[in-house]
Amino acid sequence: MLRSAATAIALLSLSACGSGDKGSPSEAASDTAASSDALLSKDPAPGQKGEAEDMARPMMQAQVVLERMGFAPGVIDGKEGLSTRNAVEGFQSANDLPVTGKFDEPTMQALAKWSNIPATRVVTIPDDFARGPFAALPKDPAAQAKLPSLGYASLEEKLAERFHTTGDVLRALNPQLAQPAPNPSAASEQPEAKLPPVAYAAGQNIRVPNVGADAFDRSAVKDAAWADTLFSLGVGTTQPKADKIVVSKKGGTLKVYDAADKLVALFTVTTGSSKDPLPLGNWKINGTSYNPQFSYDASLFWDVPDSKGEHLLPPGPNGPVGVVWIDLSKEHYGIHGTPEPQTIGRAESHGCVRLTNWDAARLAEMVSGSTKVSFVS
């Protein structure tokens, strides 16, 4: 659970809720890398052919289409997991289809109109996006408190968040960039070992999941730092407005409805644990804090020794609540991001509602102080 923040905007006092033809991807860009605008999606018009793919990836293609429409599959990985099934159910419900959570015939027919959107695209890593600093983060809160920010540990991690995926998926999409194993014979003896590392750098052409809904109008965002965060995460500035959101404990989902009571978005979430259960009921949104600091108090974590003390942690995507905190009228509770997107819907939280950083940022652009919040069983 979390200590309530005074206004929840300026200083977040949180304590216990964290836990065109671009060529072959193997070619280096010959010109100076373009600005980060080059990372934006460019969907083909209806009936036009999309960017050529190196191979078919039907599940990833379905994921990038569903996410464009607001039905988020969490991590884009080409696998039909829990989050993807939730996204399919959301799409089916919003389009008056039988809600099965499966890619059945009616669902495939409905999705066919976006079949020209590729599963992946090739981008050139821009100079400005590749700039650090990047550094591994210490695990100890006292050491973290001394840092200027809790930023990305590597360019790979930053790229993975921008394209709503993981480092392993990026490596699998770009095998030609893999670095040789220091001991090839040892690597061959461990078939379950992670894919070889990749040294990403400005100017490289790489294949990435073709995430969209990222059209960006910087004038639409008053907070410049928040605009940078949205842009870095590939979250567009055109989002539906949420009249109400409903978080389901059993379903592990957060549904967004507009003023006409139409389902316009769905996100898979982590909703708490047996020790810090989701507080069922109706709540209000007190405010939203962008790129929040985190007031760490070990005494409020049941699974952390009190000796870890109290520390004010700097903001950053690897902070305990990620890039955004949506403060609720239920004291100690909020909706926020996470530094570990692969755990959403799987690991427990300390009572709050947790999403991937990119989904939390997208939700933050949908809600306001008038948005109604319901936590249901």
Side-chain angles (χ1 to χ4, degrees):
M1 293 189 298
L2 286 159
R3 183 186 309 160
S4 177
T7 74
I9 302 298
L11 171 61
L12 194 63
S13 178
L14 309 181
S15 300
C17 203
S19 156
D21 185 5
K22 299 174 183 174
S24 165
S26 63
E27 298 172 348
S30 58
D31 299 325
T32 301
S35 75
S36 293
D37 287 353
L39 300 180
L40 296 173
S41 62
K42 299 176 179 63
D43 289 347
Q48 291 185 346
K49 190 176 180 179
E51 182 177 325
E53 296 250 58
D54 59 334
M55 62 180 290
R57 298 181 178 87
M59 185 56 61
M60 186 173 287
Q61 196 274 339
Q63 288 177 326
V64 300
V65 168
L66 288 167
E67 190 187 65
R68 275 166 168 72
M69 292 180 286
F71 305 105
V75 171
I76 305 293
D77 57 5
K79 299 177 182 178
E80 191 176 359
L82 169 68
S83 296
T84 298
R85 290 194 294 273
N86 288 341
V88 172
E89 288 186 3
F91 174 79
Q92 291 168 334
S93 179
N95 289 275
D96 298 322
L97 298 170
V99 179
T100 64
K102 300 178 180 179
F103 289 99
D104 49 30
E105 186 61 28
T107 302
M108 295 307 295
Q109 289 180 359
L111 289 170
K113 64 188 293 185
W114 297 284
S115 61
N116 63 333
I117 293 178
T120 65
R121 64 179 184 265
V122 175
V123 300
T124 302
I125 301 176
D127 284 330
D128 56 349
F129 190 87
R131 296 191 192 110
F134 301 111
L137 297 179
K139 293 184 179 180
D140 184 60
Q144 291 180 357
K146 297 176 182 178
L147 300 175
S149 69
L150 297 180
Y152 293 116
S154 65
L155 178 55
E156 178 178 81
E157 185 182 27
K158 185 177 181 181
L159 286 165
E161 290 243 315
R162 169 59 181 83
F163 295 103
H164 307 175
T165 191
T166 66
D168 280 347
V169 172
L170 288 179
R171 296 179 194 189
L173 291 176
N174 298 279
Q176 76 290 339
L177 296 177
Q179 304 297 300
N183 186 344
S185 61
S188 65
E189 294 169 4
Q190 301 180 40
E192 300 302 320
K194 285 192 173 185
L195 294 165
V198 171
Y200 297 98
Q204 281 179 334
N205 282 0
I206 64 169
R207 187 171 296 278
V208 297
N210 187 28
V211 297
D214 56 358
F216 206 83
D217 177 7
R218 203 166 269 276
S219 67
V221 185
K222 295 180 180 179
D223 185 317
W226 179 237
D228 290 342
T229 298
L230 290 172
F231 194 75
S232 177
L233 290 170
V235 175
T237 50
T238 302
Q239 303 293 342
K241 298 304 177 185
D243 181 70
K244 70 175 180 180
I245 60 178
V246 178
V247 177
S248 168
K249 177 181 178 181
K250 180 179 179 181
T253 58
L254 185 156
K255 296 180 178 179
V256 180
Y257 296 86
D258 66 12
D261 204 32
K262 179 177 175 58
L263 179 65
V264 293
L266 180 147
F267 305 98
T268 293
V269 297
T270 295
T271 62
S273 68
S274 58
K275 291 184 178 292
D276 294 309
L278 185 74
L280 305 183
N282 298 320
W283 314 106
K284 297 179 181 179
I285 293 177
N286 289 334
T288 301
S289 182
Y290 308 114
N291 298 309
Q293 291 177 300
F294 184 85
S295 184
Y296 179 96
D297 184 350
S299 68
L300 297 181
F301 291 90
W302 55 264
D303 55 351
V304 175
D306 289 357
S307 59
K308 291 293 183 179
E310 297 183 30
H311 308 280
L312 182 62
L313 305 186
N318 273 320
V321 294
V323 300
V324 68
W325 166 263
I326 300 171
D327 193 53
L328 300 178
S329 57
K330 172 64 176 177
E331 189 177 10
H332 310 315
Y333 285 86
I335 302 171
H336 62 83
T338 179
E340 299 177 331
Q342 72 281 1
T343 67
I344 295 301
R346 294 167 177 82
E348 295 183 333
S349 76
H350 289 91
C352 297
V353 178
R354 190 169 63 196
L355 304 86
T356 67
N357 273 337
W358 53 87
D359 286 343
R362 191 171 186 180
L363 177 65
E365 290 299 286
M366 299 179 183
V367 302
S368 68
S370 64
T371 301
K372 299 178 286 290
V373 179
S374 294
F375 290 172
V376 300
S377 57

